Amino acid sequence: MTTLDESQLVDLYRRMTRIRHFEERVAALKATGELPGAVHIYIGQEAVAAGVCGALSVDDYITSTHRGHGHILAKDGQIDRCMAELFGKRDGYCKGKGGSMHIADPGLGIIGANGIVGAGLPIATGAALSSVQRSSGQVAVAFFGDGASTHGTFHESLNLATVWSLPVIFVCENNGISQLTPTSEVAALGGVAQHGAAYGIPGVTVDGNDVVAVHETTRTAVERARAGEGPSLIEAVTFRIHNHSEGLETIIGDIRDHDEIDQWRARDPLTLHRRTLEKAGIEASILEELDQSVAAEVEAAIEFARNSPYPDPDDAYSDVWAGEVRSAAFWGVR
Amino acid sequence: MPRMTQSGAMQAAIFEEMRRDERIILMGEDVRRGVVGYTAGLADEFGNDRVRDTPISEPTFIGAGLGAAATGLVPVIDLLMSTFLYVAMDQVLNQAAKLRYMMGGACDFPLTLVGATGGGAGMAAQHSESPHPIIMNSGGVKIVIPSTPADAKGLFKSAIRDPNPVIVLYHGALGAVRGEVPDDEDLVIPLGEGRVLREGTDLTIAAIGLMAKRAVSAADRLEEEGMSVEVVDPRTLFPLGWTAIADSVRKTGLLLAVDEARRTCSAASEIAARVTQDAFDALRGPPTVMAVEDVPMPFTPPLEAEVIPSIDRIADAARELIGGAEAR
């Protein structure tokens, strides 16, 4: 039985539905060719981002992954600036220089999504180190996938965070697949949480489609981190409904197991949470209003992104360096 | 002005900077134990929180440096050998070099990496080469190599104060060389600014680190033969200390660029290309590159001496260039 009150339960739904509406529209926009580059859709995993970020303070840190839209939106990143970034426009979070895989908002503690598997774990570990040095009480969360659990940075980061007792929470979203290869084929252990034992820290497996369970597990880890007791490892078992990236089936064919997808659809994290909300006596109309308002916000964001200008050609040469205007000036380019 | 070694100058720099700015932390392998001289004594003054021995996990402690830099600290990371950068290339080239740009400038990363570079100590290829060309091509990491103790102090301090990722490579063979070092606590050398180590009129030698010192020795020898050679040390390789080189070549009309990196895509080849393109009218002969041929650094001292440009080889090449220009 959950200890969350009604407003907390609704807030978790709000975080999930922001992601769901955003991702459904992004997938559609990608299909029509309106978005450049690759997009990795988070649908199916919403309970992980929402449950974790719902347990964090605004100034707590997260690092995210190539499948990062959900983390950014669950941490209350702006929908319009996210959308504009996916469009490659000047009003995007990164002024069109990062794109789908690299959204950051340091003001919200989002130190960045990252296109390299495993790269965010050391960065989150460093943010936790900074928190300790500044006695700020902030915690850091590194989101990563099961595919990153075979990466050296995963093991190195768990080790470093443990020996320095850093307030960092390693959140593995285990969707079972490393791009196209089932992780069970390429990882020595059947799961990820067991690795916690190797470093003497808690390693907890949780139903990654149950937002309340994810939330409560994270809260325990946050309390431990804030108390100075060190890192935790959470493995949230979930599933991604979409392909690794949108349109991949047009290149490699449809190799997915549709029975498996259907089984996971039956455990849709938003549907599951709506049942919880219903049991808690929360009126459906509240959720419908929330859905409508988020859907409207996403549509407005699409218009915002469409109307935002592309960066100027000259913008290609700024933002590399702090304190300097144009990197090209280094070489005397005229 | 006090005379000190390169290592002593770097030690003075880090002590002064850590006293000045409490956001600075130093971490790396064995830094508290002082395996590299310049970190000795730091833990005694600044404590084990600001001076941290790391596990042997280069990708993670460099990545952690980035995370700490993004969130209010000013980390200085000692790498021991600069070749250990290769272990952490994702964090250096994909992260440090790119994150600020990819974030649209939303966040600064004031991170300094320090490591020993170059050969001459019989350490074989994995512990003694010059990785600076790779960093020069990173697009987003600055890199400096001092050739004198005073420059070591000033460049190290500038690197720490710079709000961007900067790599400081110091040459092991210059560690014990003494020189005058100002005790000015604000001795900073603007990154990207080269300097003339020795004035001359017949030929410019552009060289860095140990090669700059050898070039000065070669120039002194050629002076006795009646030739006037100018030696320029760009000091910063990215952004290249270009103006000092360009001004010198426009004066002398000849360039010999000497580098301890391998020849292909070396700093010297970049300098020669720039001179060819930007100072062509001033040239009296072909811009010439002298570097390590494209082999890994050998272990045994005779072979090491064979591949690293020596004073003799630098002098011979300079003599030939000056003679060739006079004959034309």
Side-chain angles (χ1 to χ4, degrees):
Chain A
M1 202 52 208
T2 178
T3 58
L4 299 181
D5 64 25
E6 283 189 17
S7 72
Q8 288 172 310
L9 289 170
V10 172
D11 183 65
L12 293 178
Y13 184 79
R14 179 187 68 83
R15 292 176 198 265
M16 287 202 290
T17 199
R18 294 181 96 218
I19 302 168
R20 178 62 59 90
H21 281 285
F22 183 87
E23 293 291 65
E24 284 181 343
R25 292 297 284 124
V26 166
L29 290 163
K30 182 66 199 169
T32 62
E34 196 168 352
L35 297 181
V39 291
H40 305 84
I41 296 292
Y42 193 74
I43 288 173
Q45 304 183 193
E46 290 93 339
V48 185
V52 170
C53 292
L56 301 178
S57 302
V58 175
D59 65 347
D60 286 332
Y61 299 114
I62 66 165
T63 61
S64 172
T65 70
H66 61 288
R67 193 175 312 285
H69 307 162
H71 309 136
I72 313 301
L73 296 172
K75 195 73 168 53
D76 275 324
Q78 290 174 233
I79 290 178
D80 54 358
R81 292 187 68 200
C82 280
M83 190 66 82
E85 187 59 33
L86 268 59
F87 274 75
K89 299 296 188 69
R90 196 162 71 192
D91 296 311
Y93 259 122
C94 315
K95 306 179 193 168
K97 294 177 188 175
S100 164
M101 287 185 272
H102 301 282
I103 294 171
D105 186 343
L108 293 173
I110 302 166
I111 321 173
N114 208 300
I116 301 296
V117 168
L121 287 90
I123 295 171
T125 302
L129 169 62
S130 165
S131 163
V132 168
Q133 295 289 127
R134 293 180 289 106
S135 305
S136 69
Q138 291 158 290
V139 306
V141 167
F143 286 105
F144 61 102
D146 42 307
S149 74
T150 55
H151 203 290
T153 53
F154 166 70
H155 297 275
E156 291 184 7
S157 295
L158 261 64
N159 180 65
L160 185 67
T162 302
V163 295
W164 287 355
S165 198
L166 299 177
V168 55
I169 302 164
F170 299 101
V171 177
C172 176
E173 303 184 89
N174 185 352
N175 62 20
I177 196 146
S178 299
Q179 188 166 260
L180 304 176
T181 299
T183 305
S184 57
E185 289 181 17
V186 291
L189 299 184
V192 177
Q194 298 94 304
H195 288 292
Y199 301 96
I201 61 169
V204 183
T205 305
V206 64
D207 179 354
N209 282 32
D210 179 344
V211 69
V212 173
V214 172
H215 181 83
E216 291 185 339
T217 303
T218 306
R219 220 168 43 177
T220 303
V222 168
E223 282 164 12
R224 173 180 150 84
R226 288 207 213 283
E229 292 165 13
S232 301
L233 171 63
I234 297 172
E235 175 185 4
V237 179
T238 184
F239 187 80
R240 69 166 152 74
I241 298 296
H242 281 234
N243 220 325
H244 167 69
S245 56
E246 290 307 282
L248 193 59
E249 61 281 356
T250 63
I251 302 166
I252 60 166
D254 184 1
I255 60 170
R256 302 199 69 202
D257 179 343
H258 287 271
D259 288 340
E260 188 185 26
I261 295 173
D262 289 343
Q263 284 163 25
W264 280 94
R265 275 191 200 282
R267 298 199 67 250
D268 182 279
L270 278 82
T271 309
L272 291 184
H273 192 49
R274 281 188 83 122
R275 279 183 210 144
T276 304
L277 293 166
E278 198 180 323
K279 276 185 205 155
I282 291 157
E283 286 176 31
S285 63
I286 293 174
L287 306 180
E288 273 150 32
E289 271 174 39
L290 191 54
D291 272 326
Q292 282 167 15
S293 114
V294 168
E297 194 182 346
V298 170
E299 292 312 313
I302 294 169
E303 282 316 297
F304 173 79
R306 283 178 175 144
N307 292 329
S308 174
Y310 282 109
D312 291 332
D314 205 45
D315 292 336
Y317 306 104
S318 61
D319 294 326
V320 178
W321 307 107
E324 325 222 6
V325 185
R326 285 169 55 89
S327 57
F330 276 7
W331 294 105
V333 171
R334 288 169 284 266
Chain B
M1 205 181 295
R3 287 180 66 79
M4 53 176 79
T5 61
Q6 173 177 264
S7 183
M10 290 177 67
Q11 191 176 24
I14 187 69
F15 266 94
E16 288 170 12
E17 291 305 294
M18 287 186 77
R19 281 175 197 142
R20 182 186 61 79
D21 185 347
E22 65 178 18
R23 298 172 306 162
I24 299 172
I25 60 167
L26 181 124
M27 55 183 177
E29 292 158 18
D30 302 330
V31 290
R32 284 194 283 138
R33 274 95 181 166
V35 67
V36 290
Y38 78 90
T39 67
L42 284 170
D44 292 338
E45 176 162 343
F46 301 106
N48 291 344
D49 286 340
R50 289 182 69 194
V51 184
R52 289 175 177 258
D53 282 330
T54 62
I56 303 173
S57 306
E58 287 84 357
T60 285
F61 66 68
I62 292 176
L66 283 170
T71 55
L73 298 188
V74 179
V76 178
I77 296 180
D78 184 80
L79 300 161
L80 297 182
M81 304 291 173
S82 58
T83 44
F84 300 167
L85 278 172
Y86 299 161
V87 181
M89 270 307 176
D90 177 62
Q91 289 294 339
V92 177
L93 297 184
N94 261 330
Q95 312 298 333
K98 296 174 182 171
L99 284 183
R100 189 177 195 282
Y101 186 78
M102 296 188 89
M103 292 180 178
C107 196
D108 295 344
F109 296 88
L111 174 71
T112 303
L113 305 179
V114 187
T117 190
M123 296 289 283
Q126 291 174 347
H127 286 76
S128 52
E129 67 176 21
S130 305
H132 57 263
I134 294 171
I135 305 303
M136 290 174 69
N137 191 247
S138 71
V141 176
K142 299 183 182 183
I143 180 163
V144 301
I145 302 181
S147 67
T148 67
D151 281 356
K153 183 179 178 188
L155 290 170
F156 191 15
K157 289 170 81 82
S158 296
I160 294 169
R161 295 186 189 189
D162 196 277
N164 298 290
V166 184
I167 298 183
V168 178
L169 299 186
Y170 63 91
H171 202 295
L174 295 173
V177 177
R178 286 181 183 275
E180 291 190 340
V181 178
D183 52 11
D184 176 5
E185 290 190 2
D186 285 315
L187 172 74
V188 288
I189 296 168
L191 302 185
E193 213 172 276
R195 81 175 168 119
V196 175
L197 292 179
R198 185 192 189 286
E199 291 194 1
T201 54
D202 297 341
L203 165 80
T204 299
I205 301 180
I208 44 181
L210 178 65
M211 295 300 100
K213 182 167 181 291
R214 289 189 177 173
V216 170
S217 300
D220 290 345
R221 190 180 297 175
L222 292 167
E223 182 88 50
E224 292 165 14
E225 299 173 25
M227 282 168 270
S228 170
V229 172
E230 183 148 298
V231 178
V232 182
D233 177 2
R235 302 192 289 193
T236 308
L237 291 171
F238 187 68
L240 184 66
W242 164 245
T243 308
I245 298 170
D247 289 350
S248 178
V249 172
R250 288 192 184 107
K251 182 175 75 178
T252 66
L254 288 174
L255 171 76
L256 174 63
V258 187
D259 197 347
E260 203 183 319
R262 278 181 286 276
R263 167 183 288 268
T264 300
C265 301
S266 63
S269 48
E270 177 63 30
I271 289 168
R274 287 291 307 263
V275 163
T276 307
Q277 187 169 331
D278 286 20
F280 188 75
D281 292 346
L283 290 173
R284 298 183 294 119
T288 300
V289 170
M290 176 180 290
V292 172
E293 292 306 324
D294 291 331
V295 293
M297 187 64 67
F299 160 66
T300 190
L303 292 187
E304 220 180 5
E306 161 64 26
V307 301
I308 301 174
S310 63
I311 297 170
D312 283 347
R313 277 176 59 200
I314 296 168
D316 289 348
R319 200 180 287 114
E320 198 173 312
L321 277 169
I322 293 169
E326 280 170 2
R328 260 186 287 276

